[in-house]
Amino acid sequence: MSSVVIKPSYMPVDTGANLDAAELPRGNAQLAKLALVIPTLREAENICNVLRQVRSVLDPVGVPYEILVVDDDSCDGTVEAVSALAVEDPRVRLLVRKGERGLSGAILHGWQRTDAAVLGVMDADLQHPPELLPELLAAILDDRDIVIGSRYTPGGELGQWNPARKFLSAAAVWVTWPLQRSRVRAKDPMSGFFMVRRRCLDQIRFQRSGFKLLLEILVRGRIQSIEEIPFEFGRRYRGASKANFKVAVDYAKLLARLYAGKYRFRSHS
């Protein structure tokens, strides 16, 4: 199965030069840099609005940032819309993957192509509120290793999900409890809205397939501190959800892989 290693440096395709990733300074926002990945697949109706809102909330923070839109070869105008915005604002970068699908792979693709010390991700459909980004970033700069936009921490909400979907979501979270370390357990390990310090992922091999990268980071990353910030999962602005049977299958495979790794380690310790 294909996998990806997040390295402390990266090699830009166009120049071949190595650039060291700056270590995130503790308590010094002026030297930090954020790379926010927004994966897209047929999000032409949403992406311009998302990018406008993200820039409007991050600009006043005073932290260098870039937004990496990783598109899985959409044919609906997403690429053209992002390309036009990238001409106006060089902090917006478009990365197009050909012949690949999957949320985790798209996130990792973007993170491999930045030298930022803070790595983040959010959806392109406005179900993740951009106005929460400064709060997530502030928590990272306050010496947290990972900060999660959480639907399950007190104050968070699942929004207008039907009871069956809420039950399945709660069950999916419950089965992760034995996998997570007791000191840094997340109440919402399924979230797709989070920021993490790059050094916590250095040289760890993550799987490209699937949609739940956060869970693998919590289990396998060098996470020593965690904070969850509540938010209400919003309604999709436009377009259709990408959730389907394959997402459930990929999640089951991830769980099997993580459980196998955990108990194999114990059997040799």
Side-chain angles (χ1 to χ4, degrees):
M1 185 172 293
S2 180
S3 59
V4 171
V5 174
I6 300 296
K7 298 182 178 180
S9 61
Y10 81 115
M11 186 169 293
V13 175
D14 55 344
T15 66
N18 284 308
L19 298 178
D20 292 334
E23 171 65 16
L24 178 62
R26 298 176 183 272
N28 188 344
Q30 297 304 314
L31 299 179
K33 179 181 176 181
L34 166 67
L36 181 69
V37 167
I38 303 179
T40 56
L41 177 62
R42 298 186 298 274
E43 295 287 359
E45 294 181 303
N46 296 319
I47 192 61
C48 290
N49 192 18
V50 171
L51 291 173
R52 177 184 60 79
Q53 292 193 40
V54 168
R55 289 183 296 166
S56 71
V57 299
L58 287 180
D59 282 348
V61 174
V63 172
Y65 72 88
E66 59 180 346
I67 306 168
L68 297 101
V69 179
V70 182
D71 185 75
D72 282 354
D73 202 14
S74 300
C75 299
D76 68 336
T78 300
V79 170
E80 291 76 10
V82 177
S83 296
L85 282 171
V87 172
E88 300 173 7
D89 188 345
R91 296 172 301 180
V92 176
R93 294 171 54 196
L94 172 66
L95 303 171
V96 179
R97 301 198 304 164
K98 300 285 187 178
E100 295 184 80
R101 289 287 188 272
L103 188 62
S104 293
I107 298 167
L108 292 165
H109 185 85
W111 286 355
Q112 282 185 304
R113 287 158 177 81
T114 179
D115 62 344
V118 181
L119 305 174
V121 60
M122 68 177 292
D123 286 351
D125 54 16
L126 288 177
Q127 291 182 301
H128 296 153
E131 60 269 21
L132 198 65
L133 288 168
E135 195 171 347
L136 297 179
L137 185 56
I140 280 281
L141 296 174
D142 194 32
D143 208 17
R144 304 298 189 276
D145 284 340
I146 192 165
V147 182
I148 301 167
S150 175
R151 302 159 296 176
Y152 285 101
T153 205
E157 296 287 344
L158 288 173
Q160 298 181 4
W161 285 9
N162 61 53
R165 189 177 180 187
K166 288 182 178 180
F167 172 79
L168 290 174
S169 176
V173 170
W174 179 80
V175 297
T176 72
W177 206 247
L179 285 170
Q180 298 190 62
R181 287 165 286 178
S182 58
R183 292 183 297 105
V184 286
R185 279 197 178 106
K187 293 182 176 65
D188 193 358
M190 315 293 288
S191 178
F193 189 24
F194 62 93
M195 294 181 187
V196 61
R197 291 172 179 258
R198 185 189 196 98
R199 62 174 173 79
C200 297
L201 313 181
D202 180 22
Q203 301 299 330
I204 298 174
R205 189 171 295 277
F206 295 98
Q207 298 299 324
R208 290 179 183 270
S209 62
F211 288 73
K212 302 301 177 186
L213 179 60
L214 174 59
L215 176 59
E216 189 171 12
I217 289 172
L218 290 168
V219 174
R220 304 185 60 237
R222 301 182 189 90
I223 306 299
Q224 300 299 321
S225 57
I226 183 173
E227 183 169 338
E228 292 185 81
I229 297 175
F231 80 99
E232 181 177 355
F233 197 64
R235 298 184 64 180
R236 170 174 271 273
Y237 178 62
R238 290 176 180 168
S241 171
K242 310 302 187 296
N244 53 34
F245 180 70
K246 184 179 183 302
V247 174
V249 171
D250 284 339
Y251 180 58
K253 289 179 179 178
L254 173 63
L255 285 174
R257 196 162 56 238
L258 293 176
Y259 269 104
K262 178 177 181 177
Y263 290 107
R264 184 166 54 245
F265 174 79
R266 283 186 175 180
S267 67
H268 288 87
S269 60

